[in-house]
Amino acid sequence: MEQVITPTAGKDNPIQMTDIVYSKEKSLFTLLAIISGIVWAALIIGTLGMALLYVLMFFIIYLFSHSAFISYLKGTAVEINAEQFPELHKQYLACCDRLEMKEPPRAYLLAADGMLNALATRFLGRNYIVLFSSIVDALESDKDALNFYIGHELGHIRRNHIGKAPFLVFATWLPLVGAAYSRACEYTCDLHGLRCCNSLRSATNAVAVLAAGVEQWKRMNVDQYIRQARESSGFWMSLHELNGSYPWLTKRMARVDAKAQGTEYTPPSRSAWAFVFSLFMPRMGTAGGGLIIFAAIIGVAAALALPAYKQYQEKMSAATSYEAPAATEATPAAMTVPDATLAIASIDQQHQALTPITDILVGYYQTNQAWPTELDALKLTDEQIATFNLYTDGIVGFVGSEALGDYQGYEVYLSPQVDEQSNITWVCSSSDIPDEYLPLDCQG
């Protein structure tokens, strides 16, 4: 693997760069900020401020959900400081200094089941950096390459990508520009990572680990990998990159390589047809962005519709007044009562049949410290998917069988409860089926 080390780089001398912000990030942010600003203003004015109640509601949901991860981090991961991993802490502070960050975020080392990555997050005004132990172990032979990961995550904080996200939520789902902004942020953070490195070799080694893994990156031909980016000009690769939050790794490697040597990388042109198709593909996968937007639209619609519906009810009650007719044979007064024993046995059987599904959900949560938002993430069979519905926060619902008679269309829910030791138990309940037709553990 032949790479060029920049003459200006040394053991304690980072690669010299005049700008560490990707050229398109600022213009894309301005465009999205204008669009989001207009939408926010329209929502607040159009609902007479009621939209702010939904903002508060989502903030409270975020507060409880994200606090679980931060608590897990503080209670499980190892904080990197002067007493704990002092060499790594010194390396971390050097990166902060190179990026002119006067208040270094709290840094943690976390075992993450072999995942090769790092992350940045923010909670109640405090920033955090998390290095996965696998990436630290993989770069034990090139500690300078770890600076790339540290600098990349510090870039997200330095550019306030996390803080801007809630304001931009109504624009980041837009076709083309939403995903383009996300990719631009990644390129910017790669430049921050490059700024923290002492050599091009270390920077490309860091990217190589993501491509080839813990050991094989040492035998990887970087020049050949960069040439592989030429294949991204086809329709399918263009389409999926245009709708993806991350650039192809081959392009990231190529940009890092070019920037470190003081040149500009010219990527291969994308398929024109891919742009046409992408115009009709909203970006809905940004940390539940699609669900948030959908819920907000429902909330706004309700805020606008409820006053009109109330006026309609008042007019109808003033125009007509009559007593409801007594029940007759044509209009039954009561529902058909199911057999309680059969109903309970049926629900219990369905409940037990979902045990493999809940086990899969528990495994997903323990790996990702979050519940899945899409069924595709669980890799289930069509038969398994047909037996339940997946809701937010890992809640599973299944519809009662014919044994419940008139209650067969209602759902029973299995809700995961996570304690302080990350142990998970499942609570069974139903808001529509009477307790006498439910197993004991589902009553209440």
Side-chain angles (χ1 to χ4, degrees), residues 223-239:
D223 293 334
Q224 173 60 33
Y225 188 66
I226 290 174
R227 288 194 292 271
Q228 193 175 314
R230 298 170 186 171
E231 298 180 18
S232 65
S233 60
F235 171 77
W236 290 112
M237 288 194 69
S238 298
L239 179 70

Side-chain angles (χ1 to χ4, degrees), residues 65 67-77 110-111 113 358-359 361-371 416-426:
S65 61
S67 65
F69 173 71
I70 298 299
S71 298
Y72 174 81
L73 193 65
K74 293 181 177 180
T76 305
L110 177 66
D113 296 327
T358 55
D359 288 345
L361 286 168
V362 168
Y364 183 95
Y365 182 85
Q366 291 174 341
T367 299
N368 300 279
Q369 293 305 305
W371 295 106
Q417 307 295 314
V418 185
D419 62 20
E420 293 180 355
Q421 287 75 39
S422 295
N423 297 316
I424 299 174
T425 56
W426 293 87

